[in-house]
Amino acid sequence: MTDDIGDGRATVFAANRNLLFAAAYDILGSVTDAEDAVQDTWLSWERADHAAIEHPRAYLMRIVVHRAVDQLRKVRRLREDYIGPWLPEPLWTEEGADGREERRGGVALGLLVVLETLSPLERAAFVLREAFAYEYDEIAGILDRTPAAVRQLVHRARGHVHAR
């Protein structure tokens, strides 16, 4: 006998998994770290009170972005001892047309190198705005910032990206 509630949770998560992974990868630049962020998101999703969640996709995106930003901060602290350039981990896939279409909004590998110069919040705001076309109000909800603060984060991030 299957648990209908558990199956519903798994179905919703599976329907959004590729989007969550794409966002985490674009923020982190690492397949392994992105998979960890998605896995942590699944664990939080399993424990959540689903009756109180009005928009599951937005809820999941908020969790994965927070996990990715936290992981990026942690990884950057560890990289301070590393001598030499850090390069993002390329994402190689054997995907069909559906996967390519969903991934088209993502960040190119070269841009991931440039994004390394941004703060974790600037990077998350920039990726959500430029790669996934989220509105400032939506990004503000995800990052727990005001829309004005998000506009400023994106503006600064664009400036850094264009300068490089």
Side-chain angles (χ1 to χ4, degrees), residues 62-79:
R62 185 171 192 268
I63 292 172
V64 81
V65 168
H66 278 268
R67 296 288 191 272
V69 168
D70 289 346
Q71 179 64 19
L72 188 59
R73 287 179 177 141
K74 196 180 312 176
V75 167
R76 286 200 172 167
R77 280 192 301 271
L78 294 174
R79 283 191 204 144

Side-chain angles (χ1 to χ4, degrees), residues 45-153:
W45 177 247
E46 274 289 288
R47 292 187 302 265
D49 175 12
H50 292 261
I53 299 172
E54 217 173 302
H55 303 286
R57 184 179 189 140
Y59 179 86
L60 289 168
M61 183 60 90
R62 185 171 192 268
I63 292 172
V64 81
V65 168
H66 278 268
R67 296 288 191 272
V69 168
D70 289 346
Q71 179 64 19
L72 188 59
R73 287 179 177 141
K74 196 180 312 176
V75 167
R76 286 200 172 167
R77 280 192 301 271
L78 294 174
R79 283 191 204 144
E80 288 175 2
D81 296 333
Y82 175 75
I83 298 174
W86 177 86
L87 297 174
E89 181 181 341
L91 177 61
W92 304 108
T93 62
E94 297 291 327
E95 57 191 15
D98 293 339
R100 280 193 302 274
E101 183 63 31
E102 186 163 327
R103 189 70 194 124
R104 185 171 293 152
V107 175
L109 186 61
L111 185 55
L112 285 174
V113 174
V114 174
L115 293 181
E116 271 302 298
T117 62
L118 305 178
S119 75
L121 283 176
E122 287 173 339
R123 187 168 175 161
F126 182 83
V127 166
L128 290 171
R129 178 70 181 162
E130 299 298 324
F132 295 96
Y134 275 79
E135 296 297 326
Y136 292 111
D137 291 344
E138 294 172 306
I139 299 168
I142 291 170
L143 296 179
D144 295 327
R145 300 288 188 270
T146 65
V150 169
R151 279 187 185 84
Q152 186 60 40
L153 285 168

